[in-house]
Amino acid sequence: MMFPNYQRVNTPEAHAWFEQFWGQPLDATPGYTVTEILKKALAPASDPHKVWGMYVEGENPAMSDPDLNHARAALAALEHLVVQDIFMTETAWLADVILPASAWPEKTGTVTNTDRTVQMGRRALSAPGQARQDLWIIQQIAQRMGLNWRYPGPESGVAAVYEEMRQAMHGVIAGVSWQRLERDSAVTYPCLSEDDPGHPIVFIDHFPTPDGKLRLVPADIIPAAEKPDDEYPFVLITGRQLEHWHTGSMTRRTEVLDAIEPQPTASLNGADLQRLGVQPGQALTVASRRGQITLTARRDDATPPGAVFIPFAYTEAAANLLTNAALDPFGKIPEFKYCAVKVKGAESVPVTAPWVGQESQGRARQSTGH
């Protein structure tokens, strides 16, 4: 739904600019979000917008999407699924084709932080086995589909690709050239010329509106699609842990991090645990209208009464089996952070994922330089 620099595809000025920039007609219809794409994968064959295939690079929707029973059924229903990744993720196990990608220290390129600092990353290791640089894989697919994607230069033409991005985002990073990043390693945008030092603050004197002023619009709270009731009296909050990033596909293969947080836990206020008759360290089951999981109880009095916090990095107790796929009507973001659940004690704790500490451990050691 966006061109580079968050310019909407259905904005006439932006659409015309990018058609001229890339020299070809472009679709002006906004695309689907990830959650909407998976719904379209389960659409009937008669639906003209049915999704028949997906190409997933470095993502793990079979763990990260809400209502995983629905999401996994959608991925399995695809006529063709391609996954480009460095490990056999839960999504990769569903794929028809797996493309062996490169890890962070095995490639050269830029990364931009949330504070808009563009940083240069330099390759420190060679990729193992048949792994290839992501950019090389993408260009090979494009060429075999009849597209002339041939970026010159070393590292699969990464500098040429960056230069194209710099031109496409000329309104914010025109002054952040590849040569400058090679010299300075990092520059914060907006930065519009080579002698511009970059700006940690985006809007100083005016806003990009017709009158230069900020428009403040009052907004009402939109109620959650699913509220607690007598049957499901708790609110589920999902998120990340310090030790495990996102779906855990990398960090749970790191022995030190997994030794610190080896098993899935559900954090509840001490008063709620006492009322449930569950001691910290005991097993409990958390269930929603979409599924249920069994985890180890953890006391955390910073968790509000009536709430349960579960990290979503654990495949053996995937929190997103419980979450609601209902979308925010404006941002199109699923209600990951709010759904109704019930909690009760259980007899046994979950079994650790079988691949943790075993599968692809050699790859993990090589990628981290151990």
Side-chain angles (χ1 to χ4, degrees):
M1 64 185 70
M2 299 282 187
F3 290 129
N5 197 29
Y6 300 103
Q7 300 181 75
R8 293 191 173 274
V9 299
N10 55 356
T11 301
E13 297 81 6
H15 189 267
W17 192 92
F18 278 99
E19 281 197 331
Q20 183 177 11
F21 178 64
W22 280 319
Q24 62 184 35
L26 301 171
D27 194 337
T29 305
Y32 293 118
T33 64
V34 172
T35 306
E36 292 171 321
I37 287 171
L38 291 178
K39 287 183 179 179
K40 285 297 183 181
L42 289 172
S46 58
D47 188 334
H49 299 291
K50 178 178 173 61
V51 172
W52 296 91
M54 288 179 67
Y55 177 6
V56 179
E57 181 188 357
E59 285 286 337
N60 192 12
M63 276 289 287
S64 62
D65 268 38
D67 191 1
L68 282 183
N69 286 318
H70 176 272
R72 291 171 177 175
L75 291 167
L78 292 168
E79 190 171 285
H80 195 62
L81 174 61
V82 179
V83 172
Q84 183 170 323
D85 216 315
I86 64 173
F87 290 123
M88 284 298 298
T89 65
E90 289 76 11
T91 306
W93 283 110
L94 297 170
D96 299 286
V97 175
I98 299 166
L99 301 174
S102 46
W104 168 258
E106 298 164 359
K107 54 192 172 187
T108 294
T110 66
V111 64
T112 304
N113 279 1
T114 310
D115 66 356
R116 307 176 322 282
T117 298
V118 185
Q119 301 176 73
M120 174 70 79
R122 297 176 175 86
R123 182 166 61 86
L125 298 169
S126 298
Q130 297 183 48
R132 296 290 183 268
Q133 291 193 17
D134 300 85
L135 185 53
W136 182 87
I137 294 173
I138 292 169
Q139 288 189 74
Q140 287 294 310
I141 291 175
Q143 289 171 22
R144 296 176 197 200
M145 293 175 67
L147 299 172
N148 189 29
W149 286 20
R150 302 178 188 276
Y151 291 91
E155 305 285 352
S156 303
V158 64
V161 172
Y162 177 83
E163 175 58 25
E164 180 176 319
M165 184 180 76
R166 187 172 75 95
Q167 293 178 40
M169 298 178 63
H170 59 277
V172 289
I173 62 170
V176 189
S177 65
W178 183 266
Q179 292 74 20
R180 183 175 179 179
L181 286 173
E182 286 188 314
R183 182 189 71 220
D184 299 338
S185 295
V187 180
T188 300
Y189 72 79
C191 179
L192 302 183
S193 64
E194 281 287 341
D195 57 357
D196 185 343
H199 300 279
I201 300 174
V202 180
F203 308 116
I204 300 173
D205 300 318
H206 62 85
F207 291 89
T209 58
D211 59 4
K213 295 181 179 180
L214 176 67
R215 290 195 298 269
L216 297 176
V217 181
D220 292 331
I221 294 176
I222 300 174
E226 184 179 76
K227 299 177 182 178
D229 55 23
D230 291 341
E231 186 179 2
Y232 296 92
F234 285 87
V235 170
L236 171 63
I237 304 169
T238 66
R240 301 180 179 92
Q241 290 174 300
L242 175 64
E243 293 79 10
H244 292 308
W245 165 249
H246 212 58
T247 66
S249 58
M250 292 186 289
T251 54
R252 292 205 69 201
R253 289 176 167 87
T254 304
E255 291 176 347
V256 172
L257 296 177
D258 203 64
I260 299 172
E261 288 287 357
Q263 61 184 359
T265 57
S267 297
L268 288 89
N269 188 284
D272 284 335
L273 285 174
Q274 185 177 24
R275 183 165 53 84
L276 291 166
V278 175
Q279 294 294 321
Q282 290 185 345
L284 53 77
T285 296
V286 181
S288 74
R289 291 176 173 85
R290 290 156 293 279
Q292 72 174 38
I293 55 177
T294 302
L295 319 87
T296 300
R298 172 173 288 178
R299 177 175 176 175
D300 180 7
D301 291 339
T303 301
V308 184
F309 174 80
I310 300 177
F312 62 97
Y314 297 87
T315 187
E316 63 270 39
N320 281 321
L321 286 168
L322 312 178
T323 50
N324 195 351
L327 294 180
D328 170 86
F330 300 102
K332 298 294 184 72
I333 300 169
E335 287 191 349
F336 281 116
K337 307 300 178 184
Y338 198 106
C339 73
V341 296
K342 57 185 176 183
V343 183
K344 65 179 181 179
E347 294 184 359
S348 60
V349 296
V351 177
T352 301
W355 48 259
V356 170
Q358 298 175 18
E359 182 198 334
S360 302
Q361 200 57 243
R363 171 67 197 247
R365 287 178 180 144
Q366 180 163 0
S367 296
T368 54
H370 295 312

